Amino acid sequence: MNEVVIIGAGFAGSVCGRMLADAGISVTILEKRDHIAGNAYDYLDHAGVLVHKYGPHIFHTNSKRVFEFLSQFTDWRFYEHRVLASVNGNLYPIPINQTTVSRIYGTIPSEEATEAFFAAVRIPRDQINTSEDVVLSSVGHDLCDKFFRGYTRKQWGCDLSELSAGVAARIPTRVNTDDRYFTDTYQFMPVEGYTRLFERMLDHPRISIKLNTDFFDVRKSLSFGQLVYTGPIDRFYDYCFGQLPYRSLSFEFEHYARQESFQEVGQINYPNDFEFTRITEFKKLTGQRHSGTSIAREYATAVGEPFYPIPNKANELLFKRYQRLADNEQSVRFVGRLAQYRYFNMDQVVAASMHAAEKLLAT
């Protein structure tokens, strides 16, 4: 195989690049930003607090293979993510569990009683097609309105009824008091941060990186045996079928110099109040010791750099038109959240990238 050119130095591009380089293939990675690590990029802010530039990234997976691959490039800090939601001025565990329900409606003494409560309030659906179907059939109208409907409208710019079922299905409902956001086997944070993990991953004699290089500016001059593309698939084809909808994010960072702690947990969601969706306090994620603390308020927007594909039937049909073009490419592979128009977690991107690299090596 001749040299492989990879577009993007996030998880998708970097994992592919490292696997190919380890197999003896020369790799050039083009990254339009001025840094590696994609949306997982972290850095020390002006006060020396490690923050995530593009919002909180919590690593969790059930895949031993994914975990062991990344473990080549970092030591880990055990971390179980816990999230609270602010509703009517009070904080409640999310995902909704026995504690959440007890604090709102009065003490529910057991898992059996919690299950009975959900059975009484849930709204049965003959078919589960949308996120609204998922939530109503799980927790009913009141909890839906308290925790999900407003947050979804802020985050996705549409109602629960307009969003595919898979989005809400990512957040379980629990009858016990387990307040962990994730229950995966492996839940960790990289000890030195994500950027350092990426620096080690890309530190290979067969990998060269060109930052501040937009693929679409140099496309016509590129020479390669294979291309791995991790950007928006509709942009690759010059939006020939129209633009795929994405949600973007913006962040408002703030440092408190004389305050060691800002909030109870690393993340607090605001389903109904304020324009922002959540506040992240980074020290609680990273375990860093510092006399001050830094936070970020997160806003979802309809314009800006694409972060999240918007999963619904119409968008999936549009994506499939682009996918048919991609399937006919002989020298281009499409990998990652934007290229595959999938709401991937980090570990899912790693797994998809490892699979893509193996397929390339098998050709």
Side-chain angles (χ1 to χ4, degrees), residues 227-274:
L227 180 78
V228 175
Y229 177 78
T230 71
I233 190 171
D234 53 341
R235 176 72 180 91
F236 186 88
Y237 290 109
D238 200 26
Y239 310 112
C240 63
F241 300 128
Q243 286 188 260
L244 282 163
Y246 297 90
R247 290 296 279 176
S248 188
L249 298 174
S250 65
F251 303 91
E252 181 183 90
F253 289 87
E254 192 167 358
H255 178 73
Y256 295 84
R258 295 180 177 86
Q259 188 171 328
E260 287 195 18
S261 178
F262 181 83
Q263 58 192 25
E264 289 183 34
V265 292
Q267 178 183 324
I268 295 182
N269 291 354
Y270 292 84
N272 308 306
D273 303 319
F274 310 110

Side-chain angles (χ1 to χ4, degrees), residues 71-86:
S71 295
Q72 299 175 85
F73 315 112
T74 187
D75 293 324
W76 299 100
R77 169 184 177 257
F78 178 67
Y79 172 73
E80 292 182 323
H81 195 45
R82 286 173 169 82
V83 178
L84 297 174
S86 177

Side-chain angles (χ1 to χ4, degrees), residues 153-173:
R153 184 160 290 283
K154 283 197 288 184
Q155 178 70 19
W156 295 101
C158 61
D159 189 69
L160 278 164
S161 61
E162 302 172 277
L163 207 57
S164 294
V167 177
R170 294 162 64 97
I171 305 174
T173 300

Side-chain angles (χ1 to χ4, degrees), residues 10-193:
F11 268 114
S14 299
V15 170
C16 272
R18 180 61 188 232
M19 288 192 68
L20 294 173
D22 283 343
I25 307 298
S26 294
V27 173
T28 298
I29 298 178
L30 308 184
E31 170 55 60
K32 69 177 183 178
R33 290 170 170 167
D34 62 0
H35 61 76
I36 60 173
N39 288 350
Y41 175 72
D42 52 20
Y43 65 99
L44 295 177
D45 67 10
H46 70 279
V49 177
L50 184 66
V51 299
H52 297 182
K53 182 173 182 177
Y54 305 100
H57 282 68
I58 317 299
F59 181 77
H60 57 99
T61 187
N62 285 315
S63 171
K64 182 179 180 182
R65 184 168 185 253
V66 166
F67 180 69
E68 289 181 342
F69 176 81
L70 294 179
S71 295
Q72 299 175 85
F73 315 112
T74 187
D75 293 324
W76 299 100
R77 169 184 177 257
F78 178 67
Y79 172 73
E80 292 182 323
H81 195 45
R82 286 173 169 82
V83 178
L84 297 174
S86 177
V87 176
N88 296 328
N90 297 308
L91 297 177
Y92 302 100
I94 188 79
I96 293 170
N97 65 7
Q98 182 182 335
T99 305
T100 313
V101 174
S102 291
R103 289 182 184 174
I104 295 174
Y105 301 107
T107 302
I108 297 180
S110 65
E111 294 183 17
E112 292 76 17
T114 307
E115 178 55 51
F117 170 85
F118 288 136
V121 301
R122 64 172 55 111
I123 310 298
R125 289 291 208 256
D126 292 333
Q127 290 186 318
I128 303 296
N129 297 315
T130 69
S131 282
E132 183 180 58
D133 294 331
V134 172
V135 177
L136 291 180
S137 65
S138 179
V139 299
H141 282 293
D142 191 47
L143 289 170
C144 174
D145 291 342
K146 280 181 166 65
F147 290 94
F148 293 97
R149 197 175 297 281
Y151 193 91
T152 298
R153 184 160 290 283
K154 283 197 288 184
Q155 178 70 19
W156 295 101
C158 61
D159 189 69
L160 278 164
S161 61
E162 302 172 277
L163 207 57
S164 294
V167 177
R170 294 162 64 97
I171 305 174
T173 300
R174 300 183 183 135
V175 298
N176 57 22
T177 58
D178 186 352
D179 64 348
R180 297 174 300 163
Y181 200 76
F182 307 112
T183 58
D184 300 68
T185 303
Y186 304 98
Q187 300 187 54
F188 295 93
M189 295 289 285
V191 168
E192 297 177 79

